Amino acid sequence: VGGKLLQGFGKDEPLLCPIDEDEAVKGYEAGVLKWHGQQIALVIADDERLAQDIAWYVAHRCIAYAEEDPLLHIQEAIDADSIFLDEGSFPSHIWKITRPESDLSFAAASDGDEVEIDGVHCKVFCNEHHSGAQIHFYMETQSALAEPREDGTLLIHPSSQSPDSITSAVMDTLGLPANKVHVRIKRLGGGYGGKTTRSPFTAAWAALAAWRTGRPVRLAVERAVDTSVVGRRHPLLSKHAVAVATGDDDPAAKGLLKGVKGDYWFDGGGTYDASFVVMDCLQLRSDTAYHIPNYQSTGEVARTNKTSNTAFRAFGLIQSLLAYEDSIERAAHSIGMQPEDVRERNLYQLGQTTPYGERLDYCYMQEAWDYARRESDFDARLAEVQAYNEANKWRKRGICLLPLKYGSGYNLASLEQGGALLEVFSDGTILVRHGGVEMGQGVMTKVAQIAAYGLNAPLPLVQMGETDTWVVPNPTSTGASTGTALNGGAVLEAATQLRTRLEQWARHQQQVHGEEWCREKGIDFWNNPDGWRHASNGEFPVWTSIVSMAFKDRVNLSAQVRFRQSGGELADLAGAAGGLSFHPCEGEDPDCHAYPVDHFVGFTYSVACSEVQVDVLTGEVVVRRSDIYYDMGKSLNPAIDVGQVEGAFVQGLGYVLTEDLVFQPTGPTKGVLNSVNTWGYKLPSHSTIPRELNVHLYPRDEAPGVPDNPNDLLSAKEVGEPPLVLAITAFFGVKRALLASREERGLGGWFRMDAPATVERVRRAANIDMRELRTRER
């Protein structure tokens, strides 16, 4: 119909696989699939069941697959040199981050070698770790309704976090201008990043069918199909070299991390999608809570014959920190220190800088750590765990306390903006529109509160409108935990403008007509302690009177704002000064990818502690207790924020403990995903949730010497993503429990256990000799 076949984040993924030779496009031969789950046709029918039956028949009866040997694992892709290339323009990515003036000679040492760094005697430990994928498993699968209108426009109701990308996808598919595509979103049944770069495909298919038929078309993907064809969290292969001071020459230095080098490889799947962006976010955050004087990370994305992996809550950091913290755990174990004591020795302090040069002017990582260690009673509980392990052979416990520094924002200032339209009706009621999408995270509730606060108006009068690109155009995708900050910032600015306008009008009436006249008219808000929010018998007479009279006086009761988030504009350039390095493009200027990477708007400083119990014989894990000390700054709505912390943390528990994808390893269907629903894919259940879960919003007054970040909206911070990462405390609790069991049975030394710590993986790591079961000990 005149549009583009290749779409997606990297413009390299066809809407449908080319069938005829004249449809072949760059990188895709006619009739050749690159991965199982690639879409080849779109079935349109009057009945949903009929469409599903036709699609099943075509997929299973009309297609023959030639035997190939697809690349399914990261190491296979690395060995085959199947690595995504930087293209000279976007997509491209950060290749390396190096703290300026770092001495990286330790990275060439072998595991266990002793080196000297900055005059300190150190030992080097080399670690390798692999973490798997994760399915978003939102309640509502990918879906969209497309309605052609009589004026030549197309109305789209998608299940998407990113209405602007829906507009772009439909424009590309049908060759329409932006003002012909109308996107409206009431709410989503969950997103978690899975409805950013993947939802445009669903909307484009529905739009194409509606445009061709001239009829409304609804496309709702079945669960098993959604799981098979939509991208997931990226599997990650990590290799770390860590240099830790042994204290042999200087006991005071023992436990200092003098050098860290982390090398990361993502499984990107078949197309670029968001893999480079996720890798950038991983590298920019993977220094986490620790100031390491000699630091470097590298990142590459492997191309495999699988569905493209995509954005997922926490954007790669949980994968990288599983590996990084595992290296710290090993280093601490090897030099005879408690991992928590090593972590504490290396925490970021106020005023220090990240490897890429961002200064931490509002850092209270140390204060948050001290508070959490004290309030969780960690040291006493550690002693109890050790006593329990001495008394029990086949059940062991482990406990882990872990800090997290998490950067906020997009690292791209052009995305850090939000739009809002605020309308006050003549009866005093308020309608708020903004570009954020509600998907269960409470953004509409928080923004309603912000509108009421900014207007100083009663909250019951505020009505939130649905997301609509014909009302608030060019919305930034609701992701990276920025929904409230960007859209709430726009609403606050609009509300403040309108409030100022009404206050000036009322004061003008006071000057013209006098105090008594204003009192008679009921607009003397300055005489009420609650201002114009004064309530009487369930009414709000002052506010209503002011609005009604201002309307009759032809005062503009609307305010429209384009909000610019401050704090993330500063950029680090490539080179030694900024710490960032980029791949040169083949045959081009070596610095052709030296694009700026903008700073984070701010950081959260949080800590969590988890205690687990492991049945060494069966591999079953019970999380006995988790304590989360989450840094919200000054919460806008503690009820919502605590709920978000709980939900994110449990989703993280699923990733590190139970959720494992299984692909067909051999035969003509090699590469088919077998775990497409809850029969084979184990989401967190009631038994996964900690027996005792305590969520505390870190009291900001515990760090009185650290100023508030002026870039935070009303001093509140983000909440959607960072708590998920804190679930790795449970993973390391499992490893410590297994370590206690192995050491008791003479299997000393560190051991490798990749994530997730499923029952099968825990049993293998326990390495039980069946002859041991014949004993009658404990």
Side-chain angles (χ1 to χ4, degrees):
V1 293
K4 302 174 183 176
L5 181 62
L6 287 179
Q7 296 196 23
F9 213 63
K11 303 300 180 186
D12 65 330
E13 184 169 349
L15 278 176
L16 299 170
C17 177
I19 301 299
D20 299 324
E21 289 296 337
D22 59 352
E23 294 177 340
V25 290
K26 179 182 177 183
Y28 294 89
E29 301 175 39
V32 177
L33 298 178
K34 293 295 187 75
W35 59 89
H36 277 282
Q38 186 175 346
Q39 298 79 31
I40 62 172
L42 183 65
V43 175
I44 307 169
D46 290 330
D47 177 77
E48 180 183 17
R49 185 71 260 172
L50 177 60
Q52 292 170 346
D53 289 344
I54 294 171
W56 185 92
Y57 182 82
V58 171
H60 293 83
R61 295 289 186 266
C62 302
I63 299 172
Y65 292 95
E67 289 238 15
E68 296 289 344
D69 193 21
L71 299 174
L72 300 181
H73 304 288
I74 299 174
Q75 192 60 58
E76 291 176 353
I78 295 172
D79 295 341
D81 198 26
S82 180
I83 302 294
F84 282 99
L85 301 177
D86 291 48
E87 295 290 350
S89 58
F90 195 81
S92 58
H93 76 300
I94 299 169
W95 176 34
K96 292 181 180 179
I97 297 180
T98 309
R99 184 179 290 280
E101 302 181 2
S102 286
D103 176 4
L104 299 172
S105 59
F106 70 92
S110 299
D111 185 45
D113 283 357
E114 298 185 4
V115 298
E116 185 172 295
I117 303 177
D118 301 332
V120 178
H121 183 261
C122 299
K123 199 167 186 177
V124 176
F125 299 98
C126 302
N127 228 34
E128 183 172 313
H129 191 273
H130 182 273
S131 51
Q134 185 179 21
I135 298 170
H136 299 89
F137 231 100
Y138 23 65
M139 292 181 290
E140 175 191 27
T141 60
Q142 298 283 349
S143 59
L145 169 63
E147 300 179 55
R149 312 306 287 266
E150 62 180 2
D151 57 358
T153 64
L154 200 62
L155 174 61
I156 311 292
H157 300 270
S159 179
S160 176
Q161 300 170 236
S162 184
D164 207 36
S165 69
I166 300 297
T167 301
S168 299
V170 175
M171 289 169 59
D172 285 348
T173 301
L174 303 178
L176 295 175
N179 65 353
K180 295 286 187 180
V181 182
H182 182 190
V183 179
R184 290 168 59 183
I185 304 172
K186 180 67 175 176
R187 68 180 71 86
L188 310 188
Y192 314 119
K195 293 178 180 173
T196 49
T197 63
R198 305 312 296 174
S199 58
F201 284 90
T202 309
W205 293 326
L208 175 61
W211 198 257
R212 291 294 294 266
T213 62
R215 298 172 58 182
V217 171
R218 178 176 182 267
L219 175 59
V221 182
E222 289 183 294
R223 175 65 65 186
V225 175
D226 186 287
T227 303
S228 298
V229 305
V230 178
R232 300 167 277 269
R233 184 185 293 281
H234 291 79
L236 182 71
L237 174 64
S238 310
K239 297 181 180 179
H240 275 85
V242 173
V244 60
T246 61
D248 294 344
D249 55 341
D250 180 8
K254 186 176 182 179
L256 289 176
L257 298 173
K258 299 299 293 181
V260 169
K261 185 177 188 299
D263 299 314
Y264 303 105
W265 292 268
F266 266 153
D267 178 349
T271 66
Y272 279 91
D273 199 79
S275 294
F276 276 180
V277 175
V278 179
M279 179 56 78
D280 285 356
C281 290
L282 178 155
Q283 289 203 74
L284 289 165
R285 292 189 176 103
S286 62
D287 60 315
T288 185
Y290 313 117
H291 181 270
I292 312 298
N294 303 286
Y295 177 94
Q296 184 181 81
S297 69
T298 70
E300 299 282 14
V301 180
R303 187 194 294 268
T304 59
N305 298 115
K306 292 193 289 190
T307 300
S308 291
N309 291 313
T310 189
F312 201 123
R313 197 177 197 172
F315 258 58
L317 189 61
I318 189 169
Q319 298 100 299
S320 68
L321 292 197
L322 278 167
Y324 189 1
E325 295 287 359
D326 192 56
S327 300
I328 292 175
E329 295 259 329
R330 183 190 176 193
H333 174 263
S334 300
I335 64 172
M337 286 186 70
Q338 187 65 26
E340 282 72 17
D341 295 333
V342 172
R343 291 181 174 117
E344 186 170 322
R345 295 226 57 193
N346 295 278
L347 294 174
Y348 270 115
Q349 303 297 317
L350 180 66
Q352 290 182 326
T353 59
T354 66
Y356 52 88
E358 183 165 2
R359 183 180 167 88
L360 303 179
D361 289 322
Y362 314 103
C363 173
Y364 42 86
M365 190 73 260
Q366 183 70 57
E367 290 85 348
W369 172 267
D370 293 342
Y371 179 84
R373 187 161 189 163
R374 178 179 71 251
E375 293 299 311
S376 67
D377 203 17
F378 172 78
D379 294 292
R381 290 170 59 198
L382 174 62
E384 291 174 2
V385 165
Q386 292 170 340
Y388 179 90
N389 290 341
E390 290 176 2
N392 295 273
K393 183 169 185 177
W394 300 120
R395 285 190 176 90
K396 298 294 184 182
R397 291 178 181 173
I399 187 170
C400 173
L401 182 72
L402 191 143
L404 174 68
K405 174 180 68 68
Y406 193 98
S408 308
Y410 277 111
N411 300 116
L412 185 61
S414 62
L415 292 179
E416 291 171 345
Q417 57 175 298
L421 176 63
L422 191 152
E423 308 271 10
V424 176
F425 292 86
S426 60
D427 67 345
T429 56
I430 302 158
L431 177 62
V432 179
R433 305 279 199 131
H434 61 82
V437 177
E438 176 63 61
M439 47 191 148
Q441 83 280 37
V443 65
M444 292 299 180
T445 301
K446 285 187 174 182
V447 172
Q449 291 178 261
I450 292 167
Y453 171 82
L455 283 171
N456 192 33
L459 182 60
L461 298 182
V462 178
Q463 174 66 42
M464 300 302 299
E466 66 183 358
T467 307
D468 190 324
T469 61
W470 276 15
V471 177
V472 180
N474 310 312
T476 297
S477 175
T478 302
S481 303
T482 62
T484 297
L486 299 183
N487 298 289
V491 168
L492 180 61
E493 193 171 315
T496 302
Q497 287 181 12
L498 191 51
R499 175 179 176 176
T500 301
R501 191 182 305 155
L502 288 172
E503 285 180 346
Q504 290 174 345
W505 175 85
R507 288 293 188 181
H508 179 69
Q509 306 312 305
Q510 181 188 25
Q511 294 173 1
V512 173
H513 300 289
E515 181 76 20
E516 185 62 29
W517 183 90
C518 292
R519 186 179 297 110
E520 291 176 0
K521 297 294 184 180
I523 65 172
D524 58 331
F525 69 87
W526 48 85
N527 288 323
N528 289 293
D530 295 327
W532 52 39
R533 287 190 298 112
H534 170 71
S536 176
N537 298 322
E539 302 289 334
F540 305 99
V542 179
W543 166 258
T544 304
S545 298
I546 289 175
V547 169
S548 177
M549 291 183 65
F551 169 72
K552 293 174 182 177
D553 205 21
R554 297 182 292 184
V555 173
N556 181 7
L557 298 181
S558 298
Q560 183 275 332
V561 161
R562 199 73 200 173
F563 170 73
R564 295 161 56 97
Q565 172 69 61
S566 60
E569 299 88 351
L570 293 176
D572 286 311
L573 299 177
L580 306 185
S581 301
F582 300 84
H583 274 304
C585 315
E586 187 173 351
E588 297 185 29
D589 182 345
D591 293 327
C592 67
H593 285 150
Y595 62 86
V597 175
D598 296 318
H599 279 178
F600 290 112
V601 172
F603 298 88
T604 59
Y605 303 97
S606 306
V607 184
C609 176
S610 289
E611 180 181 337
V612 308
Q613 181 169 299
V614 177
D615 188 316
V616 180
L617 298 178
T618 66
E620 292 178 281
V621 173
V622 173
V623 183
R624 301 185 70 246
R625 174 178 164 183
S626 289
D627 298 89
I628 304 167
Y629 301 88
Y630 187 72
D631 174 26
M632 267 308 303
K634 298 176 182 177
S635 173
L636 297 175
N637 188 316
I640 288 177
D641 292 336
V642 168
Q644 283 291 288
V645 172
E646 291 173 338
F649 186 79
V650 171
Q651 190 172 41
L653 286 179
Y655 179 64
V656 302
L657 296 180
T658 67
E659 299 181 47
D660 200 16
L661 277 72
V662 179
F663 292 87
Q664 182 66 27
T666 59
T669 57
K670 181 178 180 180
V672 171
L673 179 63
N674 291 330
S675 47
V676 296
N677 52 40
T678 53
W679 287 106
Y681 186 76
K682 300 307 175 185
L683 296 166
S685 68
H686 70 281
S687 61
T688 315
I689 297 172
R691 296 293 186 267
E692 180 182 343
L693 178 58
N694 304 307
V695 176
H696 312 264
L697 299 182
Y698 174 70
R700 184 61 181 83
D701 55 8
E702 284 289 318
V706 181
D708 284 343
N709 185 343
N711 304 307
D712 292 334
L713 177 63
L714 300 175
S715 297
K717 296 189 178 185
E718 65 174 322
V719 67
E721 298 186 304
L724 183 143
V725 183
L726 294 170
I728 66 176
T729 50
F731 179 86
F732 292 114
V734 173
K735 282 205 73 170
R736 292 192 198 176
L738 290 174
L739 187 63
S741 174
R742 289 168 60 98
E743 288 180 335
E744 183 180 76
R745 292 179 286 113
L747 302 174
W750 195 248
F751 66 99
R752 175 172 174 174
M753 183 177 70
D754 292 332
T758 60
V759 169
E760 296 86 352
R761 199 164 277 149
V762 170
R763 284 193 65 226
R764 287 198 300 269
N767 197 15
I768 299 291
D769 185 339
M770 299 303 290
R771 290 172 294 185
E772 295 180 71
L773 303 183
R774 297 170 188 165
T775 67
R776 299 177 60 86
E777 295 181 60
R778 297 199 289 271

